[in-house]
């Protein structure tokens, strides 16, 4: 092999080796999408962000009551964190979604919820980016930064009334005792109509 | 001499009352009343004595009432089967109908009297159960523990009792043996209907609103401040819960339709 050809092959090998190294791959990707680059720059360290508390304006709400749920998120870092969302879920229904930015220290976010009756499980999710509200189940689990759940009992509206069962019972009693009179009444009608008496 | 309509009505009422009193005496003589009244006092006492010795009572009177009353269904079914299971079929099986049906009393008044004779002690049993529970609530939580929901639950229990008795009475009027009628009535309410209800709820995932035992859930559902605990026969916590008005309508319809059907069938039945 000639010396010129040897250099040529060596340079090709070097270029391949450089391109396949992880550092270069990520730096090329970074350049390819400015939006993604921004995400990565702002991506917080997971351990720095925590949902620390969830409080209710009324701890014993009644059904259909408007309740304010305040979520406290702590940013232990020293820089403001952006491109995050807080999602509030009740069992498997989204109550609300907010895009948030977190200043260092504690950050509180109020959410408004019309309470549903019975046992409720309210979960707050802190996620990276802004998930699509229409298809919330589609966001990746690795995007979840932190979760916080609270079980709460919401006293349902009182069921029915007292008059309807009383009316139902009264109706049954009247019909049961009244049914004993049906043959006599039937006979009286038959007699009046000139029909022959017959036994019921 | 031809009787007037008023006299006729009076006589029918008198005959019905006569049958009712005869049935009540029969139940008393056969010690059915003592057994069921004993159960009506003994069952709620378990919920009072056991926690007093080994555990603690629920935090609220509603919680205690829900736990206690989730088993009133069981008592309704036992008492209903005891009193109504052999009401009609017994006359045909034991041939006592040969004597009874040959009297000048109208057959319909006999069967209506028998139905009322089975219903009254069952209603009394339920009332005793609620009275015992109420006394326990007063003993534990004071008079403030007695709520309107407890009274609401009591009335719903009475309505459910009439429908359960109607169903068992219906079996009694169509079947040929006392034991078959009593067992079918008992098992349909305690097992068969709750199984159908569960299958519809959990496998087919439809609301079984037309099933009698499903509506019985209203007895404890009226205590809205207590999460459902799912005790008693067919008392599993399901995916659905009965609608108040629909549940009551279903109970009333079961009572009246099955009652009239039973009297009609029993009237047409002949001694073999």
């Amino acid at each position: 092999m000639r010396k010129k050809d040897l250099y040529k092959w060596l340079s090709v090998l070097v270029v391949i080796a450089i391109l396949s190294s992880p550092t270069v791959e990520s730096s090329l990707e970074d350049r390819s999408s400015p939006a993604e680059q921004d995400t990565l720059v702002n991506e917080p360290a997971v351990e720095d962000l925590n949902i620390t508390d969830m409080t209710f304006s009324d701890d014993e709400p009644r059904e259909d009551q408007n309740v304010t749920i305040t979520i406290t998120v702590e940013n232990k870092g020293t820089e403001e964190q952006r491109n995050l969302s807080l999602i509030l879920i009740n069992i498997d229904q989204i109550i609300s979604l907010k895009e948030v930015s977190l200043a260092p220290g504690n950050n509180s976010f109020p959410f408004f919820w019309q309470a549903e009756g019975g046992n409720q499980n309210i979960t707050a999710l802190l996620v990276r980016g802004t998930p699509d509200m229409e298809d919330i189940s589609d966001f990746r689990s690795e995007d979840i930064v932190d979760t916080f759940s609270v079980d709460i009992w919401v006293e349902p509206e009182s069921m029915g009334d007292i008059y309807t069962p009383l009316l139902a019972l009264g109706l049954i009693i009247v019909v049961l005792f009244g049914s004993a009179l049906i043959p006599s009444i039937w006979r009286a009608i038959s007699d009046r109509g000139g029909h022959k008496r017959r036994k019921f | 001499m031809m009787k007037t309509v008023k006299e006729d009505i009076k006589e029918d009422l008198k005959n019905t009352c006569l049958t009712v009193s005869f049935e009540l005496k029969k139940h008393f003589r056969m010690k059915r009343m003592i057994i069921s009244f004993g159960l009506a006092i003994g069952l709620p006492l378990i919920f009072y004595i056991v926690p007093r010795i080994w555990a603690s009572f629920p935090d609220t009177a509603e919680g205690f009432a829900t736990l206690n009353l989730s088993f009133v269904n069981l008592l309704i079914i036992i008492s209903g089967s005891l009193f109504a299971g052999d009401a009609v079929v017994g006359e045909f099986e034991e041939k006592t109908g040969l004597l009874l049906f040959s009297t000048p009393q109208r057959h319909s008044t006999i069967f209506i009297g028998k139905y009322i004779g089975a219903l009254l002690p069952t209603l009394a049993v339920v009332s005793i159960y609620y009275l015992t529970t109420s006394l326990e609530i007063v003993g534990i939580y004071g008079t403030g523990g007695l709520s309107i929901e407890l009274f609401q639950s009591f009335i719903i229990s009475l309505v459910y009792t009439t429908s359960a008795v109607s169903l068992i009475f219906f079996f009694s009027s169509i079947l040929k043996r006392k034991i078959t009628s009593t067992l079918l009535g008992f098992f349909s309410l305690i097992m068969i209907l709750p199984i159908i209800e569960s299958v519809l709820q959990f496998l087919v995932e439809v609301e079984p609103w037309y099933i009698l035992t499903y509506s019985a859930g209203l007895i404890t559902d009226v205590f809205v401040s207590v999460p459902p605990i799912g005790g008693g026969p067919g008392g599993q916590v399901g995916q659905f819960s009965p609608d108040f008005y629909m549940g009551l309508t279903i109970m009333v319809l079961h009572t009246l339709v099955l009652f009239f059907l039973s009297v009609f069938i029993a009237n047409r039945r002949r001694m073999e």
Side-chain angles (χ1 to χ4, degrees):
Chain A
M1 191 184 280
R2 285 185 302 176
K3 207 173 180 179
K4 196 180 170 185
D5 286 345
L6 183 71
Y7 286 136
K8 190 178 159 186
W9 280 111
L10 273 173
S11 59
V12 167
L13 280 172
V14 168
V15 168
I16 289 168
I18 290 166
L19 284 175
S20 60
S21 77
T23 329
V24 173
E25 248 180 34
S26 60
S27 64
L28 282 174
E29 274 176 17
D30 282 351
R31 274 181 222 115
S32 64
S33 162
E36 281 178 34
Q37 193 178 1
D38 186 44
T39 312
L40 289 166
V41 167
N42 282 311
E43 191 169 291
V46 172
E47 63 271 17
D48 283 351
L49 302 175
N50 292 108
I51 303 174
T52 52
D53 198 15
M54 187 192 292
T55 55
F56 294 80
S57 57
D58 187 345
D59 287 333
E60 291 173 350
R62 291 189 71 88
E63 191 173 356
D64 290 335
Q65 187 183 328
N66 287 317
V67 181
T68 307
I69 303 171
T70 308
I71 307 216
T72 309
V73 187
E74 189 185 11
N75 178 3
K76 289 175 189 163
T78 51
E79 286 177 20
E80 185 181 5
Q81 300 295 341
R82 289 178 184 168
N83 199 24
L84 293 156
S85 297
L86 254 181
I87 308 166
L88 203 62
I89 298 172
N90 178 21
I91 305 172
D92 54 0
Q93 272 187 323
I94 300 163
I95 298 172
S96 190
L97 182 147
K98 268 185 186 174
E99 286 180 52
V100 294
S101 56
L102 303 171
N106 282 328
N107 300 264
S108 294
F109 302 96
F111 286 84
F112 300 101
W113 175 51
Q114 192 173 31
E116 290 169 48
N119 261 329
Q120 308 297 335
N121 176 264
I122 310 288
T123 305
L125 295 174
L126 181 65
V127 297
R128 289 193 196 96
T130 312
D132 183 8
M133 279 286 277
E134 297 298 314
D135 199 5
I136 196 79
S137 58
D138 211 28
F139 70 83
R140 296 175 303 166
S141 57
E142 54 263 35
D143 283 342
I144 299 171
V145 178
D146 198 18
T147 62
F148 195 95
S149 272
V150 170
D151 285 321
I152 187 166
W153 168 252
V154 179
E155 194 167 323
E157 287 286 302
S158 59
M159 190 184 257
D161 56 82
I162 189 66
Y163 305 108
T164 314
L166 278 171
L167 191 75
L169 191 65
L171 176 75
I172 289 168
I173 292 167
V174 167
V175 172
L176 289 182
F177 282 94
S179 62
L181 309 178
I182 292 173
S184 317
I185 294 164
W186 177 254
R187 191 170 140 184
I189 293 166
S190 305
D191 282 351
R192 199 165 286 176
H195 298 294
K196 206 180 165 183
R197 275 188 193 184
R198 66 177 198 173
K199 215 171 179 181
F200 183 74
Chain B
M1 201 179 92
M2 197 175 158
K3 281 187 281 184
T4 62
V5 178
K6 200 179 166 186
E7 282 171 344
D8 212 17
I9 288 174
K10 254 181 156 177
E11 196 184 319
D12 277 346
L13 277 177
K14 200 181 122 194
N15 286 337
T16 308
C17 291
L18 196 74
T19 312
V20 172
S21 75
F22 177 78
E23 287 293 309
L24 292 178
K25 278 178 194 164
K26 187 178 88 179
H27 295 318
F28 190 76
R29 212 174 42 244
M30 294 172 88
K31 294 191 170 59
R32 289 172 178 173
M33 281 202 189
I34 297 164
I35 294 168
S36 51
F37 288 0
L39 281 173
I41 297 169
L43 278 178
L45 275 179
I46 296 170
F47 295 95
Y48 183 77
I49 295 166
V50 173
R52 192 162 277 283
I53 299 170
W54 288 289
S56 58
F57 293 111
D59 295 336
T60 60
E62 282 79 13
F64 179 80
T66 307
L67 183 69
N68 204 328
L69 297 174
S70 54
F71 288 87
V72 74
N73 282 1
L74 187 69
L75 196 68
I76 292 171
I77 297 165
I78 293 171
S79 310
S81 309
L82 216 57
F83 295 118
D86 67 343
V88 176
V89 71
E91 302 293 345
F92 291 92
E93 193 184 338
E94 291 169 2
K95 309 287 180 196
T96 46
L98 287 170
L99 281 173
L100 184 65
F101 300 145
S102 56
T103 57
Q105 189 178 349
R106 277 199 183 96
H107 288 186
S108 58
T109 60
I110 294 173
F111 297 122
I112 293 166
K114 276 180 169 294
Y115 178 88
I116 297 170
L119 181 65
L120 286 180
T122 318
L123 292 177
V125 165
V126 176
S127 306
I128 291 170
Y129 192 100
Y130 270 84
L131 184 68
T132 316
T133 306
S134 303
L135 289 174
E136 288 172 357
I137 289 172
V138 171
I140 305 164
Y141 306 95
T143 47
L146 297 174
S147 58
I148 190 79
E149 281 90 1
L150 186 67
F151 183 64
Q152 204 178 4
S153 165
F154 172 55
I155 303 295
I156 294 168
S157 284
L158 294 183
V159 177
Y160 177 64
T161 303
T162 61
S163 50
V165 168
S166 279
L167 183 73
I168 298 164
F169 193 77
F170 174 72
F171 287 133
S172 176
S173 64
I174 58 167
L175 295 170
K176 286 186 175 177
R177 298 215 167 270
K178 280 197 293 189
I179 188 80
T180 328
S181 145
T182 309
L183 287 180
L184 188 61
F186 179 80
F187 283 113
S188 59
L189 287 168
I190 211 159
M191 210 172 71
I192 301 167
L193 290 176
I195 288 173
I196 296 170
E197 187 192 314
S198 296
V199 168
L200 288 171
Q201 276 197 80
F202 296 103
L203 298 181
V204 190
E205 292 185 356
V206 292
E207 188 183 4
W209 55 269
Y210 40 84
I211 291 181
L212 185 59
T213 48
Y214 175 72
S215 305
L218 287 175
I219 294 171
T220 50
D221 282 0
V222 289
F223 296 99
V224 287
S225 58
V226 183
I229 51 166
Q236 73 281 358
V237 180
Q239 292 194 28
F240 306 96
S241 55
D243 177 71
F244 185 79
Y245 299 102
M246 178 58 82
L248 278 172
T249 310
I250 292 297
M251 287 185 204
V252 173
L253 281 176
H254 269 87
T255 304
L256 299 181
V257 170
L258 290 171
F259 164 71
F260 281 114
L261 216 57
S262 309
V263 174
F264 180 76
I265 293 168
N267 255 325
R268 297 192 149 249
R269 234 172 128 167
R270 293 287 170 261
M271 299 291 296
E272 286 168 7

